[in-house]
Amino acid sequence: MKINLLKKSLGIGAIFLASTVWAESEVANKPVHGEYKDWRLLSVSHRLEKKTLRAILGNDKAIEAARQGKTTPWPDGAILAKVVWKERQHPNWPQAIVPADFAAAEAMIKDSKKYASTGGWGFAHWQDNKLVMHDKETAAKCYACHVPMKDHDYVYTFNALQ
Amino acid sequence: MKINLLKKSLGIGAIFLASTVWAESEVANKPVHGEYKDWRLLSVSHRLEKKTLRAILGNDKAIEAARQGKTTPWPDGAILAKVVWKERQHPNWPQAIVPADFAAAEAMIKDSKKYASTGGWGFAHWQDNKLVMHDKETAAKCYACHVPMKDHDYVYTFNALQ
């Protein structure tokens, strides 16, 4: 009896704690980010059907190419990072859609020889701060979605800070 | 007669050229950006009622403070840049809202003594690559909108890349 009561209390306590944490304006999880956090901005986007916000960041090679207008094709060594957050309404401004929890960070890595079979791009993602190549099956899916942008070197992003 | 025909042809040619340019997926204007283009990302947002997308970038002082969790208050010398674009649907992915034309870049500059009357923040905007302080009237409007975030040192942005 006592153990059941204890379990119930802990359960209720956990729900209360979770709801207090949820009520906080700051997001709950504290992810470890990769090197992209120091990269510069190419663009942003809001994916309505995915309910996510994104920032597209580029490594130095990518930013250099973007500023010189040399992105069809992007040069080997350019890396584009897609940083994804779940969306939420800003607690103090409901018409502002802002990041909630961090969702994922993925990369497109340009190497026209190494990744010739997928348009010259390798597809990867960060596990915490470690960049890990996608397996062949996942990479094939990424590539398939990017094929419609073949004439833009497979990239959906238009440089917004040129 | 010949001159009129020439004028007409030039006019039609100009309209055709303009429509071809418009049809391009790349945005039409080529703005000159300020130093913020080399700053790092704090967050992104989509303002539904304004139909604009935003990136919030921070200078080194701001990024440092954000990563140390020392943003209530932000340190003197921190500058937050709000880069604004009009929104549009991605031509190849309608559910993706992406930047169209660049709209504006504004700044919040922290100096607790100099800007004591407006919460420690100076309000400015970039005219091309030049950072220009807002006049008193405009700054008062900016400040008034930010007052609801007084307990967050007047900043609406929650650091999304911590």
Side-chain angles (χ1 to χ4, degrees):
Chain A
M1 273 284 266
K2 270 191 179 173
I3 286 176
N4 283 345
L5 193 61
L6 181 64
K7 281 185 185 174
K8 258 189 190 159
S9 310
L10 285 172
I12 289 164
I15 290 166
F16 181 73
L17 183 67
S19 58
T20 335
V21 167
W22 185 252
E24 272 186 28
S25 303
E26 304 287 348
V27 294
N29 66 346
K30 283 260 201 267
V32 176
H33 292 289
E35 60 268 50
Y36 56 81
K37 73 179 187 225
D38 291 322
W39 293 358
R40 288 170 285 177
L41 186 75
L42 282 163
S43 192
V44 299
S45 76
H46 182 193
R47 277 288 286 282
L48 303 179
E49 86 283 21
K50 293 262 193 184
K51 298 194 185 302
T52 58
L53 283 167
R54 285 106 181 277
I56 308 295
L57 309 174
N59 69 347
D60 287 353
K61 196 99 192 172
I63 296 293
E64 210 174 275
R67 291 183 186 181
Q68 290 167 9
K70 292 181 178 173
T71 59
T72 44
W74 292 80
D76 285 357
I79 305 179
L80 307 179
K82 176 180 77 185
V83 188
V84 186
W85 297 269
K86 294 192 178 200
E87 70 178 55
R88 60 166 170 157
Q89 290 180 315
H90 191 291
N92 301 74
W93 202 287
Q95 293 271 56
I97 306 304
V98 298
D101 286 353
F102 169 73
E106 298 192 279
M108 281 178 71
I109 302 162
K110 190 69 191 282
D111 188 325
S112 49
K113 289 188 178 62
K114 194 171 180 181
Y115 306 121
S117 65
T118 47
W121 292 99
F123 297 89
H125 68 295
W126 274 273
Q127 284 172 352
D128 289 336
N129 57 4
K130 198 169 160 227
L131 185 55
V132 177
M133 299 309 290
H134 278 313
D135 58 53
K136 261 198 163 180
E137 203 182 306
T138 308
K141 284 181 195 160
C142 298
Y143 176 60
C145 254
H146 278 261
V147 159
M149 297 299 289
K150 184 180 177 180
D151 292 343
H152 198 245
D153 200 24
Y154 301 91
V155 173
Y156 277 95
T157 298
F158 299 106
N159 183 18
L161 261 187
Q162 52 200 164
Chain B
M1 274 283 268
K2 271 191 177 171
I3 286 176
N4 283 345
L5 194 59
L6 181 63
K7 280 185 182 173
K8 259 189 189 160
S9 309
L10 285 172
I12 289 165
I15 290 166
F16 180 72
L17 185 65
S19 58
T20 337
V21 168
W22 184 252
E24 273 186 25
S25 304
E26 304 288 348
V27 295
N29 66 345
K30 284 260 199 274
V32 176
H33 292 290
E35 60 268 50
Y36 55 81
K37 72 179 188 226
D38 291 321
W39 292 358
R40 288 171 285 177
L41 187 74
L42 282 163
S43 192
V44 298
S45 76
H46 183 193
R47 277 288 286 282
L48 303 179
E49 87 283 21
K50 292 263 194 183
K51 297 192 187 303
T52 56
L53 284 168
R54 287 109 181 274
I56 308 296
L57 309 173
N59 68 347
D60 287 353
K61 196 100 191 169
I63 297 293
E64 212 174 272
R67 291 184 186 180
Q68 290 166 9
K70 293 181 179 173
T71 58
T72 46
W74 291 78
D76 285 355
I79 305 179
L80 306 179
K82 177 180 75 185
V83 189
V84 185
W85 296 269
K86 294 193 175 196
E87 71 178 55
R88 61 167 169 155
Q89 288 180 317
H90 191 292
N92 301 74
W93 202 287
Q95 293 271 57
I97 306 304
V98 297
D101 286 354
F102 170 72
E106 298 191 279
M108 280 179 71
I109 303 162
K110 190 69 192 282
D111 189 325
S112 48
K113 290 188 177 63
K114 191 171 183 184
Y115 306 121
S117 65
T118 46
W121 290 100
F123 296 89
H125 69 294
W126 275 272
Q127 285 173 352
D128 289 336
N129 58 3
K130 200 170 157 224
L131 185 55
V132 176
M133 299 309 291
H134 280 313
D135 57 53
K136 260 199 164 179
E137 203 184 307
T138 309
K141 284 181 194 159
C142 299
Y143 176 60
C145 253
H146 279 260
V147 160
M149 296 300 289
K150 184 182 178 180
D151 292 344
H152 199 244
D153 200 25
Y154 300 91
V155 172
Y156 277 95
T157 299
F158 299 105
N159 183 18
L161 261 186
Q162 56 204 157

